[in-house]
Amino acid sequence: MRERERYRIERDSLGEVRVPEEALYGAQTQRAVENFPLGDRALPPRFIHALGLIKAAAARANAALGRLEPERAAAIAEAAEAVARGEHDHHFPVSVFQTGSGTSSNMNANEVIASLAGRRLGGPVHPNDEVNRGQSSNDVIPTAIHLGAALALRQLLLPALAELAAGVERRAGELAGVVKTGRTHLMDALPLSLGQELGAWAQLVRADMARFEGIMPRLLLIAQGGTAVGTGLNAHPGFARQFAGELARATGLPFQPAADAFAAISSQDTAVELSGLLRVASTTLGKIAEDLRWMNSGPLAGLGEIRLPALQPGSSIMPGKVNPVIPEAVLMACIQVAGRDHAVALAGRSGNFQLNTMLPLIADNLLRSIELLAGAARLLAEKAIAGFTVDRERLEAALARNPILVTALNERLGYEQGAAIARRAYAEKRPVLDVAAEMTDIPRDELARLLDPGALTGTRVEKEKDE
């Protein structure tokens, strides 16, 4: 009795299946749940929401082309839009590690939407013949990858990177006149301003944003309409274009049918390209996080140039210790993105003949990397960049002892004499100005002008011009 209350019997072409009573899905989804007990990770919600948008657009396209009765199409579209809004995420239990075409997830969506539409209509809706009309998993899943990624870039990652770039630029402006010792090979080098250092970070982030904008036209080309192998069999001849128009209206993004459906179904090169761009962006965020961690090191025995906000105790045994937790969290996220990119690249090679058969893996890694990078960018902006303070006295003290300033005298003295001055300044731990005054006949006031760190960065000259 208890078992009858918990399960119902569903049927598909292979026979009967027991399905949880409360589940909106049917037999094919349940078979996938039982067949693929690989981990506990389902595809990300953004991918499920993309499937909902696709099914709604397909229903409306089929109705417009006379392939689906308007009332039934409306019920399917309304149900699909509820899926797209995330109202039924818990009814999508299929593992990422499933059939390589993603057929199980496509059927999961078809069955859930059919159940919901059937409730609206007061009678059965067929998941294959109606919800999936004019479609195949082979064009639905590649379209969902492009759609999910394009929306995630627009809604998550690009705004997060813009926030980070703006935050870095704001701090760069505030710190434009603060001069510090530059470092190459982690060793003392010529001076620069903190504004210049942070300005470089902002430029790197802006360049990443431009790369993502550059791939968007290729993401907006979709496989839908190619059905199983690219021929479009079982779809109306006008379905691809009608569908793209419906999807564009629903999302505000100008989706278009791919010029060659065979290529769009058999290859995931655009997804692989996007994954590579995510890896590039992860190196940018990682570089910023590493620089912040080094600049914050100490506070006594390290560089101690800045102080990151103290967010939590840093040790379970050492009282008073505070660690650079935000840069470390961001660095781990960046490493994760790099690892996922490798998985996507390997999966992208599995486009044997007419179909790539690693589509769920590509979708999962791509969308999760976008979400992770967006979170990392916001975390850096809000909890590291916005709140760090600068130890100006420490920066000035290090600058005064920096023998590399002697590089400014190369044209007057030559490299060899400059090296001798630098070696003596290092050995005696004295300011290079004092040593140069003793070892050259250049007047001290002229040396002070030539060795002025602010002048070497160009910031003094720019300030004088502005005034």
Side-chain angles (χ1 to χ4, degrees):
M1 182 68 178
R2 219 177 262 173
E3 198 143 297
R4 275 195 223 106
E5 290 173 357
R6 291 183 56 194
Y7 294 95
R8 67 180 192 271
I9 301 299
E10 292 278 350
R11 293 170 181 80
D12 62 10
S13 59
L14 294 181
E16 293 185 346
V17 183
R18 290 195 317 170
V19 178
E21 184 63 40
E22 75 284 357
L24 290 173
Y25 54 78
Q28 292 200 43
T29 302
Q30 184 60 33
R31 288 190 191 278
V33 170
E34 295 171 4
N35 287 336
F36 309 117
L38 297 173
D40 58 358
R41 194 169 81 205
L43 280 156
R46 283 186 172 273
F47 181 80
I48 304 307
H49 304 164
L51 286 177
L53 288 170
I54 288 167
K55 298 301 175 179
R60 292 201 166 90
N62 279 319
L65 296 167
R67 298 293 297 272
L68 201 58
E69 294 177 9
E71 184 183 6
R72 299 185 76 76
I76 291 169
E78 288 171 13
E81 285 166 349
V83 169
R85 290 191 296 271
E87 295 176 13
H88 304 288
D89 287 354
H90 60 292
H91 289 283
F92 288 85
V94 180
S95 171
V96 170
F97 306 102
Q98 54 168 288
T99 175
S101 61
T103 298
S104 297
S105 288
N106 183 39
M107 282 309 304
N108 192 172
N110 291 333
E111 290 177 342
V112 169
I113 292 165
S115 293
L116 293 169
R119 291 178 183 179
R120 284 174 168 80
L121 294 171
V125 172
H126 201 284
N128 297 77
D129 296 339
E130 295 180 291
V131 180
N132 198 59
R133 179 162 291 180
Q135 305 152 63
S136 164
S137 301
N138 298 357
D139 61 354
V140 166
I141 303 301
T143 299
I145 291 172
H146 278 223
L147 171 59
L151 290 174
L153 286 180
R154 277 276 174 259
Q155 296 169 357
L156 285 182
L157 185 53
L158 284 167
L161 291 176
E163 180 184 327
L164 175 60
V168 174
E169 287 163 349
R170 185 165 51 252
R171 295 306 309 273
E174 295 170 2
L175 301 170
V178 180
V179 181
K180 59 166 282 185
T181 299
R183 289 183 182 82
T184 57
H185 305 269
L186 294 180
M187 305 299 285
D188 298 346
L190 287 169
L192 76 166
S193 72
L194 268 173
Q196 291 168 329
E197 189 164 46
L198 270 65
W201 297 351
Q203 179 55 38
L204 293 173
V205 176
R206 297 281 182 198
D208 288 331
M209 293 173 64
R211 291 185 184 97
F212 290 126
E213 292 288 358
I215 199 176
M216 194 63 73
R218 292 183 288 289
L219 278 178
L220 297 176
L221 299 176
I222 51 177
Q224 204 66 55
T227 66
V229 296
T231 61
L233 181 66
N234 288 345
H236 187 283
F239 179 79
R241 191 150 296 282
Q242 185 72 34
F243 172 90
E246 296 289 349
L247 195 61
R249 279 187 285 278
T251 62
L253 296 175
F255 287 99
Q256 294 290 329
D260 189 316
F262 300 97
I265 291 172
S266 65
S267 168
Q268 282 295 302
D269 284 357
T270 299
V272 172
E273 179 188 4
L274 175 56
S275 181
L277 296 184
L278 293 170
R279 184 172 188 149
V280 173
S282 79
T283 65
T284 297
L285 298 190
K287 185 257 190 306
I288 295 171
E290 283 281 26
D291 283 357
L292 286 169
R293 190 162 68 143
W294 275 102
M295 292 160 73
N296 179 79
S297 62
L300 300 178
L303 297 181
E305 296 179 345
I306 66 170
R307 294 288 179 272
L308 291 168
L311 300 177
Q312 62 186 58
S315 174
S316 61
I317 190 172
M318 293 177 278
K321 194 171 189 293
V322 178
N323 294 332
V325 293
I326 298 303
E328 289 172 352
V330 168
L331 283 164
M332 285 189 282
C334 292
I335 290 169
Q336 182 69 54
V337 169
R340 285 179 177 153
D341 174 55
H342 189 57
V344 170
L346 293 176
R349 294 194 321 211
S350 296
N352 304 114
F353 300 111
Q354 277 67 61
L355 179 68
N356 182 287
T357 52
M358 299 285 166
L359 297 178
L361 184 68
I362 292 171
D364 183 62
N365 283 300
L366 203 59
L367 293 176
R368 291 188 192 278
S369 286
I370 292 173
E371 292 176 355
L372 189 57
L373 276 184
R378 284 214 155 90
L379 199 62
L380 268 182
E382 294 170 5
K383 295 194 174 183
I385 298 296
F388 76 77
T389 58
V390 179
D391 189 334
R392 299 191 182 214
E393 289 184 8
R394 188 153 184 161
L395 291 179
E396 290 169 3
L399 267 177
R401 299 192 309 272
N402 183 6
I404 302 301
L405 297 177
V406 78
T407 305
L409 304 180
N410 278 1
E411 292 188 11
R412 293 284 295 272
L413 303 177
Y415 184 93
E416 298 301 333
Q417 189 173 357
I421 294 171
R423 283 195 300 272
R424 182 174 165 189
Y426 274 125
E428 298 177 3
K429 296 182 174 57
R430 296 171 60 203
V432 70
L433 174 60
D434 293 344
V435 176
E438 294 173 5
M439 295 181 64
T440 72
D441 57 2
I442 301 173
R444 187 178 180 88
D445 59 346
E446 187 176 353
L447 280 172
R449 181 179 57 79
L450 291 171
L451 296 173
D452 174 29
L456 298 183
T457 67
T459 56
R460 297 255 199 277
V461 175
E462 289 170 10
K463 187 175 179 183
E464 287 170 6
K465 284 181 180 177
D466 291 340
E467 292 172 352

